[in-house]
Amino acid sequence: MEYKSQAPSGPTISPRIIIHGGAGNISPATVPPGKYALYREALLNIIGKTHTHMTTPSKATSPSPHLPSALETATYAVTLLEDNPLFNSGHGSVFTRDGINELEASVMVSRGFAKRGVGVTGLRRVRNPILLARAILEHGDADLSAMRRTDGPCLDVPSAQGHSLIHGRTAEILAERYQLPLVEPEYFFTQTRWDEHLRALKDERNGKALDATWSCDSYLPQGTVGAVALDADGIVCAATSTGGMTNKLTGRIGDTPMVGAGFWAEEWIDGRGFARDMWPDRTRRGHGPIVMLSESLKGLMADCLPTPFMYNPVPPGDGDASPLITTRSIAVSGTGNGDSFIRVAAARTASAIARYSGVSSTNAVHRVAGPGGELQKSAGNRWGITGEGQGGMIAIGCTVVGDPEGNAIAARGEIIEDFNSGGMFRAWIDEDGRAVARVFRDDVPVSDC
Ligand code: ASP
């Protein structure tokens, strides 16, 4: 549903942003105070810059400047994370077992582009993988119409075509075509990651670790970076980028580029309880996509909206009702043991729970990424031994109540973060506009700036 974000009669949809810099065996023992301070400072810096970017109207579109889209905001945040060697993506990517950097990224929007979601994988020379995922998404509409034409040069890689997941050399040819910066593989070398790579291989050889991708007594990145944004048009976007797991097999594809596993975004008209209980007559007659607020939805809105009373529906009379339309959306970016995320299609599972079980998005994410959730369950009795199932998610769930003309009359975005591991590097801007950064599970919830 397309909402007018600046409806004169109603509230605007306030843009929101949350970022993460990886989850895993992160605890005061594995991330000592000095390191903690470094991560916290970097997270606050990046969330602050992204907030400024998100709230500054773009001059490029003058004379009617607009705020950046969720896609622009989320990918902007991820480029900052990719450029910071503290995080396992872009410049700070981990090494494969063979000492190679193979990067992956993805982006997905709830509405607005034909492809909706794109993943890229096996990249060795693309400086900012997230920009490649974004470019393939943005070119998707044109690519799809070009496919219907028969003229034009016959190139090996004519465009990204209708594809949503593109690997290796083909992806890099597209990056060249989109004039994105390419770098020599050495750009991705950092001493810290190299030392982690060697140490983990040694621990595996010595029998100190089961394998060289996870250790229970140190924080071995894993790690991934991600951002989820909500824009003034009610569109949510998830952007995610990673070097993968330390000492993964060369050629291994993780959850980050895989649609539905490490990322997801979707929007739906909330039809739960579409008046079957409250307005049976109207349901039988069928009124297209128009949805009344049911009792269960009122409960959800009571959780989400500042003054739920104003949304109490008046049961419609015989034709003079002014029905409200409720649209919900969610975007999710994951981090953790990617093989487990793939096994449970984690990001889409969280979204599907929100969509089909009638629970809040916060609750849905918790059921997958929280302690005892689907990810943890998928590890079975290997939980805590192999690293399987460990991870976390950030998300934004948005609920918009609108009138049939498309004016938003109430809207709210929930910032969501949950994980089953010791910690997750994460930061967001709270409802009062303050930047908040957290690392461990029980970080004191005080405002940071
Ligand atoms: N999910 C990433 C992968 O498995 C790693 C991580 O986020 O920790 O490649």
Side-chain angles (χ1 to χ4, degrees):
M1 175 81 192
E2 201 79 42
Y3 282 104
K4 296 173 197 156
S5 57
Q6 308 290 337
S9 57
T12 56
I13 298 173
S14 302
R16 305 293 312 262
I17 176 73
I18 177 167
I19 59 172
H20 73 75
N25 192 13
I26 297 169
S27 68
T30 57
V31 179
K35 213 168 174 185
Y36 176 97
L38 275 180
Y39 275 105
R40 191 171 172 283
E41 194 188 322
L43 288 167
L44 286 172
N45 189 299
I46 291 170
I47 199 75
K49 280 189 178 151
T50 305
H51 185 238
T52 304
H53 180 264
M54 178 175 84
T55 50
T56 307
S58 154
K59 293 194 187 70
T61 55
S62 187
S64 58
H66 74 303
L67 291 177
S69 66
L71 175 66
E72 288 163 330
T73 299
T75 53
Y76 173 80
V78 170
T79 56
L80 298 180
L81 289 155
E82 283 179 339
D83 291 347
N84 187 323
L86 273 183
F87 301 103
N88 172 19
S89 66
H91 185 40
S93 287
V94 299
F95 289 90
T96 68
R97 243 187 127 76
D98 307 310
I100 295 167
N101 303 106
E102 282 195 337
L103 283 55
E104 311 183 309
S106 60
V107 74
M108 189 158 187
V109 289
S110 55
R111 175 185 357 125
F113 291 97
K115 286 189 181 176
R116 291 248 326 279
V118 165
V120 285
T121 175
L123 308 176
R124 298 184 180 188
R125 293 173 52 237
V126 179
R127 183 190 149 121
N128 288 105
I130 196 65
L131 296 182
L132 177 57
R134 173 176 161 177
I136 295 173
L137 179 81
E138 289 176 323
H139 284 78
D141 298 39
D143 290 348
L144 286 163
S145 26
M147 280 166 67
R148 286 191 281 274
R149 294 201 302 266
T150 49
D151 55 347
C154 183
L155 303 171
D156 280 352
V157 183
S159 73
Q161 313 248 303
H163 305 318
S164 298
L165 180 54
I166 303 182
H167 173 79
R169 179 81 191 116
T170 301
E172 291 186 345
I173 291 173
L174 288 168
E176 256 175 280
R177 191 157 299 161
Y178 301 141
Q179 299 182 327
L180 297 174
L182 296 178
V183 289
E184 291 306 314
E186 292 71 47
Y187 168 78
F188 300 110
F189 180 91
T190 58
Q191 194 61 49
T192 312
R193 297 289 182 240
W194 186 251
D195 293 345
E196 286 163 353
H197 157 69
L198 295 181
R199 196 179 64 232
L201 285 174
K202 195 166 145 214
D203 286 351
E204 181 189 76
R205 262 198 314 275
N206 298 340
K208 233 182 118 188
L210 262 186
D211 72 43
T213 60
W214 191 77
S215 153
C216 64
D217 54 16
S218 62
Y219 172 54
L220 199 58
Q222 297 191 8
T224 279
V225 305
V228 178
L230 162 69
D231 67 24
D233 291 319
I235 295 172
V236 282
C237 171
T240 312
S241 182
T242 192
M245 294 163 78
T246 300
N247 293 325
K248 65 184 181 181
L249 292 179
T250 304
R252 175 260 192 181
I253 296 172
D255 59 315
T256 296
M258 205 169 281
V259 183
F263 71 103
W264 184 257
E266 70 177 302
E267 173 187 283
W268 67 97
I269 290 185
D270 197 300
R272 276 181 316 105
F274 171 52
R276 207 165 296 143
D277 44 350
M278 293 181 69
W279 298 296
D281 289 339
R282 204 174 169 87
T283 311
R284 268 201 304 276
R285 274 182 266 146
H287 280 252
I290 293 189
V291 177
M292 306 297 183
L293 289 175
S294 66
E295 283 302 331
S296 53
L297 186 54
K298 269 197 294 174
L300 177 75
M301 297 303 284
D303 281 353
C304 299
L305 293 167
T307 49
F309 313 105
M310 61 191 270
Y311 311 113
N312 280 358
V314 178
D318 252 2
D320 60 349
S322 56
L324 302 177
I325 300 164
T326 297
T327 303
R328 290 181 64 192
S329 53
I330 186 171
V332 180
S333 168
T335 168
N337 184 300
D339 301 308
S340 303
F341 274 70
I342 291 170
R343 225 173 276 165
V344 301
R348 201 328 151 114
T349 296
S351 178
I353 292 173
R355 182 167 181 169
Y356 300 112
S357 295
V359 299
S360 69
S361 297
T362 302
N363 189 318
V365 167
H366 180 71
R367 291 188 196 188
V368 176
E374 293 304 315
L375 278 166
Q376 181 168 337
K377 281 190 231 160
S378 76
N381 58 13
R382 297 178 305 279
W383 174 252
I385 298 171
T386 59
E388 282 168 86
Q390 280 210 355
M393 287 177 176
I394 58 167
I396 293 181
C398 178
T399 306
V400 180
V401 180
D403 65 21
E405 279 75 53
N407 297 305
I409 60 170
R412 184 161 187 257
E414 323 160 54
I415 293 282
I416 302 163
E417 31 103 31
D418 214 330
F419 50 97
N420 60 29
S421 51
M424 175 165 76
F425 299 111
R426 61 210 191 274
W428 64 94
I429 302 291
D430 73 12
E431 286 188 335
D432 300 320
R434 287 172 303 203
V436 178
R438 297 277 173 269
V439 176
F440 307 129
R441 173 162 295 288
D442 45 11
D443 274 0
V444 187
V446 290
S447 161
D448 299 82
C449 321

